[in-house]
């Protein structure tokens, strides 16, 4: 009873520490593995001693195996096929040639620098040929790099894991049996991959068929059916050939993704939540089981071994595998820098340490310590600096231009024309035939369809666009559209017009309210139609910035001014709610001014014209573009004063 109680407390503490690390990492926008490793080591026997993984006995191996299968299945389920075609050759090379390069380079580094015997050195190298999808995925979400590079790194992490795990088992067999039959080992590698791949493909197809045909199943039950099927396939593959289950889970996820299930979005969300829990539990348990003294005992040779793996072997790997890929040198350099190791290396090395010790072979604890040293160094050095490196190389997704705008109304068409005038692609989607016709007459590209149609979003080019903006007259619909766009296409900037009360209904922090809270879209559309607005442009400068910001906020609060676009660092973006204004920001806005309508009535003129105001604060900037000058009506009675300038500037 005491043992059972201890295990219960153990697992409760593990889950609390794991989720706490995830929350802290999400708040600080860093890879969760950083805090998972720290929390695990602090709570383990080498630290506070509140977590003792050895209490689980052989159950630790079972937990590790099932949770790793879940993690890899979720990785296969999330692979984006539409992006894989651009880097398919590079991915193929990384999984095949890249594995061999890392195996040879890592083995030589461990032998010459770490002074390990050749057999143990290559066993270490086989454990670190894999990268960590559970580390790379969250990392790339935080820093939002170029989509082509992100796709390659994510696919490498998912696809190389089963190959690396099987390779590590084969190398372990050499160490245990001292049988260097390389041809036989190669045959065994291919056989295990084929067994796992066959079970994964067939099992994934059957799961998709069951979910499509079994309409009596509820959505929640379908998620659990997939979980049961996943672990069933994993167990079947493992019973036929050890370590083939990992390949089965990856391919099952890929095949199930290709089935185009109606519940795919909910399934991916459910599996994503389970994966977060799995990663949290695994890293806390494995890090707690690590002896800090064993890492210190490795010496400087092991430290230089990891540096060689990071800064010599990885660059050679990337440059050879992406030779004819079409990637530029900045993208290749970033891929060289980012290769953090993760859960597969940690879990397999922990199991190998146990097996080597049981067989009386020295080096098991050293292998585990060196693998964890590799994880720590790659995560802390590469993971924490990846955002800075991406900005330095100029491959962050903030540089992606273009916009897909849902809803064809006067205000949305104005924004589309502003984007187009800047040379950026602007595509509109709407189900209203009259609105689409008006957009075509204004020279805009438009699709007469629903933005819920995944195919239409692909044809509109959302996968390569920088901005998604939902601004129909229905706020709830806008929020749903924005959520789907953020989950399925992951554009860098996702904005929508939706009620402030609906803001709590979404946990997707990538969705921002556009322009101002609770925008009265119909009102501003009427202002535009009636010509009761001025289109203005201003730029904030260091002198008088505080006054300008205060004046701007006051005009917004009085509903006299609507900020539309902001140009910062050379990029044009839709203004999100709560934007923090900086010196140098150039803002394009609408100012409510009923004077043109009054003048029209007094003069009896058929139209009055408005122009984009030329403000003293931006006199050094070239004249406004033709679109901005002609988009609204001109009034000759308007002055030439910047409404956002401080009094001294007027």
């Amino acid at each position: 009873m005491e043992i059972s109680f201890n295990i219960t407390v153990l697992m409760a503490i593990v889950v609390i520490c794991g989720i706490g690390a995830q929350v802290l990492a999400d708040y600080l926008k860093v890879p969760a593995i950083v805090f998972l490793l720290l929390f695990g080591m602090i709570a383990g026997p080498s630290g506070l001693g509140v977590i003792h993984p050895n209490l689980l006995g052989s159950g630790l191996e079972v937990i590790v195996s099932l949770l790793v299968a879940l993690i890899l299945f979720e990785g296969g389920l999330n692979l984006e096929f539409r992006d894989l075609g651009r880097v398919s050759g590079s991915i193929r090379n990384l999984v095949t040639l890249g594995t061999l390069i890392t195996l040879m380079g890592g083995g030589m580094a461990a032998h010459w620098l770490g002074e390990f015997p050749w057999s143990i050195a290559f066993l270490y190298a086989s454990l670190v040929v894999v990268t960590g999808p559970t580390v790379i995925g969250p990392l790339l979400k935080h820093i939002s790099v170029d989509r082509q590079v992100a796709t390659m790194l994510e696919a490498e992490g998912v696809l190389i894991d089963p190959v690396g795990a099987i390779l590590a088992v084969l190398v372990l067999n050499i160490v245990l049996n001292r049988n260097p039959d390389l041809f036989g080992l190669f045959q065994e590698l291919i056989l295990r991959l084929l067994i796992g791949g066959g079970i994964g493909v067939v099992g994934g197809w059957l799961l998709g068929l069951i979910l499509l045909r079994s309409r009596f199943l509820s959505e929640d039950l379908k998620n659990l059916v997939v979980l049961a099927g996943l672990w069933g396939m994993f167990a079947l593959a493992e019973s036929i050939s050890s370590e083939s289950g990992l390949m089965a889970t990856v391919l099952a996820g890929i095949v199930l993704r290709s089935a185009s299930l109606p519940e795919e979005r909910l399934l991916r969300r459910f599996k994503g939540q389970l994966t977060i829990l799995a990663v949290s539990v695994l890293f806390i348990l494995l890090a707690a089981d690590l002896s800090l003294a064993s890492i210190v005992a490795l010496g400087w040779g092991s430290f230089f071994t990891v540096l060689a793996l990071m800064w010599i072997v990885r660059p050679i790997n990337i440059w050879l595998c992406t030779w004819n890929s079409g990637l530029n040198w900045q993208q290749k350099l970033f891929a060289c820098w980012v290769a953090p190791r993760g859960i597969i290396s940690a879990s397999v090395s922990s199991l190998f340490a146990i097996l080597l010790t049981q067989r009386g072979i020295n080096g098991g604890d050293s292998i585990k310590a060196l693998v964890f040293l590799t994880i720590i160094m790659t995560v802390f050095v590469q993971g924490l600096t990846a955002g800075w490196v991406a900005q330095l190389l100029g491959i962050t997704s903030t540089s992606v231009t273009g916009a897909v705008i849902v809803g064809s109304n006067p205000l949305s068409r104005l924004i589309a024309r502003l984007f187009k005038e800047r040379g950026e692609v602007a595509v509109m989607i709407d189900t209203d035939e009259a609105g689409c016709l008006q957009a075509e007459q204004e020279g805009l590209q438009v699709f007469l369809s629903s933005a819920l149609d995944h195919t239409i979003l692909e044809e509109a080019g959302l996968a390569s666009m920088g901005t998604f903006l939902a601004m129909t007259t229905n706020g709830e619909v806008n929020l749903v559209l924005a959520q789907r766009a953020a989950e399925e296409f992951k554009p860098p900037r996702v904005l929508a017009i939706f009620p402030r009360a609906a803001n709590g209904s979404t946990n997707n922090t990538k969705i921002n309210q556009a322009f101002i809270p609770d925008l009265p879209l119909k009102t501003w559309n009427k202002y535009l139609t009636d010509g009761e607005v001025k289109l203005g442009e201003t730029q904030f400068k260091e002198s008088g910035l505080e006054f300008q910001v205060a004046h701007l906020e006051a005009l917004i609060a009085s509903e006299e001014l609507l900020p539309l676009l902001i140009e910062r660092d050379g990029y044009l973006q839709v203004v999100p709610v709560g934007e923090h204004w900086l010196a140098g920001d150039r803002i394009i806005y609408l100012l409510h001014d009923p004077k043109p309508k009054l003048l029209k009535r007094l003069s009896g003129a058929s139209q009055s014209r408005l122009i984009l105001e030329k403000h003293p604060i931006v006199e050094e900037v070239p004249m406004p573009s033709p679109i901005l000058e002609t988009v609204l009506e001109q009034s000759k009675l308007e002055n030439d004063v910047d409404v956002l300038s401080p009094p001294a500037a007027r």
Side-chain angles (χ1 to χ4, degrees):
M1 185 67 181
E2 182 180 355
I3 295 178
S4 176
F5 174 76
N6 288 337
I7 293 178
T8 302
V9 174
L10 166 68
M11 293 307 299
I13 295 175
V14 167
V15 172
I16 292 172
C17 289
I19 300 304
Q22 292 281 358
V23 171
L24 184 59
D26 193 58
Y27 176 75
L28 297 177
K29 305 300 182 186
V30 297
I33 189 177
V34 172
F35 293 106
L36 290 171
L37 287 172
L38 287 176
F39 284 19
M41 289 187 290
I42 292 173
S46 298
L48 300 177
V50 295
I51 295 179
H52 294 273
N54 62 312
L55 290 175
L56 296 172
S58 59
L60 178 61
E61 181 179 351
V62 176
I63 293 174
V64 169
S65 299
L66 292 178
L67 294 187
V68 167
L70 175 63
I71 292 168
L72 290 182
F73 174 79
E74 197 260 349
L77 193 64
N78 284 327
L79 282 181
E80 299 285 352
F81 291 102
R82 59 177 172 272
D83 296 328
L84 285 178
R86 307 176 187 176
V87 289
S88 58
S90 299
I91 296 171
R92 180 193 63 241
N93 294 338
L94 287 170
V95 174
T96 53
L97 176 62
T99 299
L100 180 60
I101 292 173
T102 305
L103 177 65
M104 300 303 297
M108 289 186 287
H111 176 71
W112 290 331
L113 299 176
E115 299 182 351
F116 283 89
W118 279 111
S119 58
I120 300 298
F122 278 109
L123 182 59
Y124 158 75
S126 68
L127 290 167
V128 295
V129 296
V130 300
T131 56
T134 55
V135 185
I136 290 178
L139 177 66
L140 296 179
K141 289 179 182 178
H142 286 316
I143 61 177
S144 299
V145 299
D146 174 85
R147 189 180 300 274
Q148 196 171 357
V149 179
T151 300
M152 183 182 73
L153 292 176
E154 288 176 340
E156 177 196 13
V158 172
L159 297 176
I160 204 173
D161 271 0
V163 177
I166 294 174
L167 177 64
V169 171
L170 297 181
V171 176
L172 177 65
N173 288 335
I174 295 178
V175 176
L176 295 178
N177 302 322
R178 305 185 185 280
N179 179 17
D181 182 6
L182 298 182
F183 180 73
L185 290 174
F186 178 75
Q187 285 183 317
E188 190 175 349
L189 171 64
I190 298 301
L191 179 62
R192 294 188 184 194
L193 290 175
L194 290 176
I195 291 174
I199 293 175
V201 170
V202 175
W205 177 79
L206 286 175
L207 272 180
L209 187 65
I210 291 172
L211 296 180
L212 288 172
R213 298 287 180 86
S214 302
R215 302 187 181 277
F216 64 91
L217 292 175
S218 65
E219 291 180 352
D220 292 337
L221 194 55
K222 286 182 178 180
N223 291 334
L224 296 177
V225 167
V226 172
L227 180 61
L230 156 68
W231 280 339
M233 285 182 285
F234 176 76
L236 176 62
E238 287 290 310
S239 64
I240 296 175
S241 180
S242 63
E243 303 307 321
S244 63
L246 297 181
M247 177 58 75
T249 58
V250 171
L251 287 183
I254 294 175
V255 172
L256 189 61
R257 172 67 181 268
S258 65
S260 300
L261 301 174
E263 308 86 359
E264 180 185 313
R265 187 166 60 93
L266 296 176
L267 176 63
R268 288 166 58 193
R269 179 177 297 177
F270 174 69
K271 290 297 180 288
Q273 293 170 342
L274 286 181
T275 297
I276 291 175
L277 178 61
V279 170
S280 303
V281 170
L282 282 178
F283 265 113
I284 293 293
L285 284 174
L286 296 177
D289 197 37
L290 177 67
S291 170
L292 296 180
S294 63
I295 294 182
V296 175
L298 291 174
W300 286 103
S302 296
F303 176 78
F304 290 121
T305 297
V306 180
L307 290 183
L309 185 72
M310 294 165 55
W311 294 340
I312 297 177
V313 178
R314 177 65 176 181
I316 293 175
N317 186 358
I318 290 296
W319 287 96
L320 289 179
C321 293
T322 61
W323 185 262
N324 293 319
S325 64
L327 297 175
N328 57 43
W329 69 269
Q330 294 98 326
Q331 294 169 320
K332 293 180 181 179
L333 190 57
F334 181 79
C336 292
W337 183 258
V338 178
R341 271 57 179 182
I343 195 65
I344 301 298
S345 296
S347 58
V348 177
S349 66
S350 298
L351 297 178
F352 282 11
I354 297 173
L355 292 174
L356 290 173
T357 302
Q358 291 175 346
R359 295 290 293 270
I361 299 177
N362 294 327
D365 290 337
S366 297
I367 283 289
K368 179 181 176 181
L370 183 55
V371 168
F372 269 90
L373 178 63
T374 305
I375 294 173
I376 293 171
M377 290 181 62
T378 55
V379 168
F380 279 77
V381 175
Q382 298 176 335
L384 295 180
T385 60
W388 176 79
V389 172
Q391 291 180 352
L392 181 66
L393 296 175
I395 62 169
T396 58
S397 59
T398 55
S399 60
V400 180
T401 61
V404 172
I405 303 174
V406 182
S408 179
N409 51 67
L411 185 58
S412 63
R413 293 196 297 270
L414 168 62
I415 294 171
R417 292 199 301 274
L418 293 173
F419 271 106
K420 185 179 178 182
E421 175 61 24
R422 281 292 303 269
E424 299 189 22
V425 177
V427 181
M428 307 196 70
I429 303 174
D430 202 346
T431 56
D432 179 49
E433 187 173 354
C436 291
L437 180 61
Q438 183 64 38
E440 289 181 347
Q441 292 175 351
E442 295 177 14
L444 299 172
Q445 183 181 358
V446 63
F447 287 89
L448 178 60
S449 181
S450 169
L452 291 172
D453 189 336
H454 190 279
T455 305
I456 291 298
L457 293 177
E458 285 187 336
E459 291 182 12
L462 183 55
S464 59
M465 294 287 192
T467 300
F468 176 86
L469 174 61
M471 53 184 303
T472 70
T473 55
N474 189 319
E476 285 74 14
V477 170
N478 292 337
L479 188 56
V480 170
L481 294 173
Q483 286 176 319
R484 290 199 60 180
E487 292 172 2
E488 297 180 12
F489 289 87
K490 301 179 179 63
R493 296 172 289 278
V494 180
L495 303 101
I497 297 174
F498 54 87
R500 192 185 319 213
N503 194 27
S505 65
T506 175
N507 294 322
N508 197 325
T509 56
K510 287 193 173 184
I511 300 175
N512 293 311
Q513 276 187 295
F515 314 122
I516 60 174
D518 299 319
L519 170 67
L521 182 59
K522 293 181 180 180
T523 301
W524 281 97
N525 280 332
K526 187 175 186 301
Y527 290 161
L528 276 165
T529 303
D530 294 342
E532 297 183 16
V533 289
K534 297 177 184 177
L535 184 64
E537 180 184 81
T538 193
Q539 184 178 23
F540 290 143
K541 287 195 173 181
E542 200 68 48
S543 59
L545 175 62
E546 185 177 350
F547 174 85
Q548 296 170 52
V549 171
H551 196 181
L552 173 69
E553 298 294 346
L555 289 171
I556 293 175
S558 65
E559 300 182 355
E560 296 180 52
L561 184 143
L562 178 63
L564 299 179
L565 302 174
I566 178 173
E567 182 181 352
R568 178 180 293 166
D569 299 327
Y571 301 114
L572 193 65
Q573 303 177 16
V574 175
V575 174
V577 169
E579 179 64 37
H580 180 65
W581 310 107
L582 305 175
D585 287 348
R586 188 186 308 278
I587 302 167
I588 298 175
Y589 59 86
L590 281 177
L591 184 69
H592 179 216
D593 183 13
K595 181 170 58 177
K597 188 172 183 179
L598 176 61
L599 291 174
K600 176 180 175 181
R601 292 174 180 173
L602 293 176
S603 63
S606 59
Q607 280 189 333
S608 59
R609 294 182 58 81
L610 290 171
I611 62 171
L612 173 71
E613 296 183 49
K614 178 186 176 184
H615 307 301
I617 199 169
V618 288
E619 282 180 345
E620 73 276 14
V621 179
M623 286 295 294
S625 64
I627 281 290
L628 298 181
E629 292 178 346
T630 60
V631 71
L632 298 173
E633 306 301 302
Q634 178 182 9
S635 171
K636 295 183 179 179
L637 297 181
E638 293 179 18
N639 57 43
D640 196 30
V641 177
D642 181 358
V643 296
L644 300 181
S645 300
R650 296 185 178 178

